[in-house]
Amino acid sequence: METSHICEGGPRTLEDIKSALDVTHRRARETTLETLRIGLLGSEQQEDEDETYESTHIGDRFLEAVRAEEWSKVSDVLATQSPHYSAFLEALDSVAPASLEAVLEELESLEEFTNHSYNQTSVEVVGDWAERLGTVQRNSFTGGYYSVERNGVPSNFPFALLAVYDDLEETAGVDLRQRYLSIPLLREHFCERHGCPRSVFDEALRRLAQQNVGHIELSGAPMDTGAKEAQLGIKEIDLGSKEGLVTTDQSTERVMAGIEQFGKQYYYLAVYDRNLTFTQEKET
C-alpha cells in the first residue's frame, strides 16, 4: 500500500521508493516488484535512465478505497489482482474453520499444478492482511481461521448463543459446569461458528442483556483464567498520520475486553432462565 502511495504522484525510481520507505535496497526492490506483479504499479524505462514506477488505474482505485477506509473494497481488489490472496480465500472457504496447517495443506492441493508455492510464513502474511481488511477473522484461543460471511448475528441469536455457551461449559467436564462464562471466550467461539464480526456480537449481547433482565446476567468481575489464555491479538488497519500512509496494529487487549454497557466493562455471562427474547433492528 505504501509503495502505491509513493508512486501515485508521478514516476518514482527505486531509489525514491527506498528513501521514502526507509528500507534497504533489497527490501525496496522486493516490495516494488510485488506491487508491480499484482498490477498496482506500472513501469517504464528510457534509454540510459533508471526504471521508473507509477501507480496504475487499478492502483488509483486501490488507494481511493484505502483513503475512504473501505476495507472490503481493498480486499476485493487484492482478491482480483493477487493470486496468492485469492487462493488463500478459496482454500479457506473449502476448509474453514481451520488451523494454519489445514489451510496450508488445502492451498498446496489447490495450487499443485501452478508455479505458486506456500509455506507457513506466507500463509500467515496473507492471512494477516485478510484479517486486517475484515474479510477473515482468527479465533484468538484456537488459532482457527474463518471467513466473515455476514454483517450481523443470526436472527435466532439467543438459541445460537446458548448452543455455544453449552458447548464451552461442557469442556470443563460434567461435574464442573460454570455458572459464569468468559465473554471473550464466548465471543471468539460464537463468531467462528457463525462467521460474524466481533463488533456485531458485542452489540447483540448488549441488546440481549437489556431485553432479558433477570434471565441473564453480565458480571464486571476481572477476566477469568480462560480469557487470559488467548494466544493471538486482533489485527487491525488504519490510516496513519504520516503523509496518509497506512499503518497496522495488533491488539491483545481488544481480545481480552468484555463488553461495555452504561460505561462499565463486563467480562462474564451467566444464564439463569433459557426462555430468552430478542429483537434486533435488522434481521440477518
Side-chain angles (χ1 to χ4, degrees), residues 92-93 96-97 134-139 144-154 157 160 164 186-201 284:
L92 187 59
D93 284 343
T135 302
V136 165
Q137 289 181 167
R138 194 175 184 186
N139 187 312
Y145 289 97
Y146 59 95
S147 299
V148 177
E149 299 176 340
R150 59 169 78 233
N151 293 320
V153 296
F157 177 65
V164 178
L186 185 61
R187 178 196 294 122
E188 291 300 294
H189 287 275
F190 183 94
C191 291
E192 177 182 77
R193 183 174 298 186
H194 296 283
C196 63
R198 296 176 176 95
S199 59
V200 302
F201 169 84
T284 302

Side-chain angles (χ1 to χ4, degrees), residues 205-218 261-262 270 272-273 275-277:
L205 185 56
R206 275 191 291 267
R207 190 176 298 121
L208 185 71
Q210 292 169 358
Q211 296 172 6
N212 294 273
V213 176
H215 294 248
I216 66 174
E217 178 189 357
L218 300 178
Q261 191 171 44
F262 307 120
Y272 300 108
D273 185 339
N275 184 24
L276 304 177
T277 60

Side-chain angles (χ1 to χ4, degrees), residues 3-34:
T3 306
S4 298
H5 178 262
I6 292 164
C7 297
E8 181 185 24
R12 297 288 185 266
T13 65
L14 188 61
E15 188 61 31
D16 294 332
I17 296 170
K18 171 180 175 294
S19 177
L21 292 177
D22 191 24
V23 296
T24 64
H25 181 87
R26 179 179 178 179
R27 179 58 180 162
R29 180 168 177 77
E30 289 175 347
T31 304
T32 301
L33 290 178
E34 178 63 19

Side-chain angles (χ1 to χ4, degrees), residues 15-271:
E15 188 61 31
D16 294 332
I17 296 170
K18 171 180 175 294
S19 177
L21 292 177
D22 191 24
V23 296
T24 64
H25 181 87
R26 179 179 178 179
R27 179 58 180 162
R29 180 168 177 77
E30 289 175 347
T31 304
T32 301
L33 290 178
E34 178 63 19
T35 312
L36 187 68
R37 185 179 66 83
I38 64 175
L40 303 183
L41 292 183
S43 65
E44 184 176 349
Q45 185 166 17
Q46 302 293 339
E47 186 176 355
D48 298 328
E49 294 184 6
D50 291 336
E51 187 173 12
T52 59
Y53 306 91
E54 189 168 7
S55 178
T56 62
H57 174 66
I58 295 172
D60 291 340
R61 287 173 45 213
F62 178 78
L63 289 170
E64 181 181 346
V66 169
R67 288 194 176 95
E69 299 186 62
E70 295 178 338
W71 304 123
S72 63
K73 289 186 178 180
V74 175
S75 182
D76 288 344
V77 172
L78 290 178
T80 301
Q81 297 299 124
S82 169
H84 291 88
Y85 188 83
S86 60
F88 171 82
L89 296 181
E90 182 182 354
L92 187 59
D93 284 343
S94 299
V95 297
S99 66
L100 187 153
E101 292 77 15
V103 175
L104 177 57
E105 183 177 340
E106 181 67 13
L107 267 172
E108 290 173 339
S109 175
L110 288 173
E111 302 283 274
E112 180 180 2
F113 301 109
T114 72
N115 60 355
H116 302 145
S117 61
Y118 300 87
N119 55 34
Q120 180 171 321
T121 299
S122 63
V123 172
E124 286 183 326
V125 169
V126 177
D128 284 357
W129 277 110
E131 283 188 75
R132 290 184 175 107
L133 296 174
T135 302
V136 165
Q137 289 181 167
R138 194 175 184 186
N139 187 312
S140 296
F141 295 91
T142 68
Y145 289 97
Y146 59 95
S147 299
V148 177
E149 299 176 340
R150 59 169 78 233
N151 293 320
V153 296
S155 56
N156 64 340
F157 177 65
F159 304 100
L161 180 72
L162 289 174
V164 178
Y165 182 95
D166 290 343
D167 288 347
L168 291 174
E169 276 195 325
E170 288 176 4
T171 62
V174 177
D175 297 325
L176 297 173
R177 293 177 67 84
Q178 306 167 48
R179 167 165 289 184
Y180 289 93
L181 194 66
S182 155
I183 290 174
L185 186 66
L186 185 61
R187 178 196 294 122
E188 291 300 294
H189 287 275
F190 183 94
C191 291
E192 177 182 77
R193 183 174 298 186
H194 296 283
C196 63
R198 296 176 176 95
S199 59
V200 302
F201 169 84
D202 287 355
E203 179 56 35
L205 185 56
R206 275 191 291 267
R207 190 176 298 121
L208 185 71
Q210 292 169 358
Q211 296 172 6
N212 294 273
V213 176
H215 294 248
I216 66 174
E217 178 189 357
L218 300 178
S219 171
M223 293 174 290
D224 67 358
T225 302
K228 295 178 182 178
E229 292 174 355
Q231 299 297 311
L232 303 170
I234 297 176
K235 295 179 175 65
E236 299 179 306
I237 186 167
D238 293 293
L239 290 180
S241 59
K242 182 182 177 182
E243 300 179 355
L245 297 180
V246 172
T247 61
T248 60
D249 180 47
Q250 176 172 321
S251 170
T252 303
E253 290 182 4
R254 284 198 54 199
V255 174
M256 312 300 257
I259 63 168
E260 183 175 337
Q261 191 171 44
F262 307 120
K264 184 177 180 180
Q265 284 283 329
Y266 296 90
Y267 297 102
Y268 288 109
L269 171 69
V271 177

